[in-house]
Amino acid sequence: EAVSRIEGAIRNVPGVISVAATSALPAGGGGFYLGKSFLAVNSNRDAVPGAWDVISPDYFDALRGQIRAGRAFSARDTATAPPVIILSSSLAKKLFPYENAVGKQVRTVRDEAFDREVVGVADDVPYFALADTQSDVAYVPHGQQSWNTMEFIVRSRLDSGVLVPAIKAAVAGQDSRIALAEMKTMDSCTNAGIIRPIGWEELEKAKLEDAEGVTIRDRAPDEIKTLDGVPRVFLMVKAFTSPPKSLQR
């Protein structure tokens, strides 16, 4: 699928340490921020609101976050495998204040007619803004809930002047219909605030000739900055696997 192809192409770039896909970049960096309500199954506690983030298995590795209990997602967490979920530490404490959340069952209110097993509890990652100290986020594996748009996080020690064109070339070599929408370092995201993601309206205006596959307008990156000499690159890559009818030819 498109997301796996993009992730694999970027991972093979020399100097890339880790790469992961997510439906919403941390610290308000861009993407689709979705809220849901969660219930602890077999509990009389009220539903707890939180964010819903679709991620690939290497998400926490790319962010240098840690799984505090249980495990991270893996390639085995597919659509045919038992439904699973990872909770941020703050959300786990609200849903299961007196017990270990790992192994428990969680259900989303009105959205899914089945339970998900909590397989991990992760560090709180700043979600809506860098200043967030607590983030109530539930993570589900992309293998179990495929989205047609995803963002990518890349960690590398390469100079951004080398990294950016190398990644562009690698992705283009994988599929010439794929183009990178935007690349920003974590530092530049922090300085600029929230990055406005590209929407369908802008794609309409782009008058793309081939909308059958993964396509988007290319944008030049802003000035690249580094933090402690290590580029933190947010790749604003939109992977459209199911374009709207108005873009289909």
Side-chain angles (χ1 to χ4, degrees):
E1 62 160 34
V3 170
S4 296
R5 295 202 313 271
I6 295 172
E7 200 171 31
I10 296 172
R11 185 177 290 111
N12 289 332
V13 172
V16 168
I17 299 171
S18 55
V19 57
T22 176
S23 57
L25 290 168
F32 188 72
Y33 296 85
L34 179 63
K36 291 179 182 282
S37 293
F38 303 93
L39 280 171
V41 177
N42 297 324
S43 167
N44 58 4
R45 290 187 287 271
D46 293 336
V48 177
W52 178 268
D53 197 357
V54 179
I55 62 173
S56 65
D58 291 334
Y59 177 81
F60 294 102
D61 179 56
L63 289 177
R64 290 184 177 171
Q66 292 189 24
I67 300 295
R68 295 296 177 181
R71 66 172 178 86
F73 295 139
S74 73
R76 299 188 303 273
D77 296 316
T78 63
T80 58
V84 293
I85 196 167
I86 292 175
L87 305 178
S88 67
S89 294
S90 60
L91 183 56
K93 291 175 183 177
K94 291 179 180 179
L95 286 170
F96 305 98
Y98 309 113
E99 51 195 333
N100 183 359
V102 175
K104 300 297 190 297
Q105 300 288 319
V106 170
R107 176 176 292 198
T108 58
V109 179
R110 295 186 301 275
D111 291 310
E112 293 183 332
F114 56 85
D115 302 337
R116 288 182 177 272
E117 179 183 351
V118 180
V119 295
V121 175
D123 280 339
D124 281 359
V125 174
Y127 193 66
F128 293 108
L130 194 63
D132 290 346
T133 57
Q134 292 186 342
S135 298
D136 297 336
V137 185
Y139 302 94
V140 294
H142 183 259
Q144 293 187 350
Q145 189 170 97
S146 179
W147 284 27
N148 64 352
T149 68
M150 294 290 282
E151 317 288 336
F152 290 81
I153 301 169
V154 177
R155 182 176 294 280
S156 173
R157 293 188 179 277
L158 289 178
D159 179 85
S160 57
V162 176
L163 179 64
V164 169
I167 290 177
K168 284 188 175 183
V171 173
Q174 178 64 225
D175 189 330
S176 61
R177 297 170 298 179
I178 300 174
L180 304 186
E182 197 170 3
M183 288 189 186
K184 289 182 180 288
T185 63
M186 182 177 289
D187 223 14
S188 61
C189 286
T190 302
N191 293 339
I194 295 178
I195 304 168
R196 183 174 60 86
I198 293 176
W200 291 120
E201 295 80 5
E202 292 185 71
L203 282 173
E204 293 275 13
K205 295 177 182 178
K207 298 181 180 179
L208 301 175
E209 295 181 358
D210 183 1
E212 180 182 357
V214 183
T215 319
I216 196 163
R217 195 168 40 176
D218 189 16
R219 292 186 173 186
D222 289 351
E223 179 183 357
I224 302 295
K225 299 181 180 180
T226 60
L227 184 63
D228 299 329
V230 181
R232 271 72 164 175
V233 179
F234 280 160
L235 292 186
M236 305 295 286
V237 180
K238 308 289 182 179
F240 293 99
T241 57
S242 300
K245 292 181 180 179
S246 58
L247 284 178
Q248 296 178 4
R249 297 292 190 271

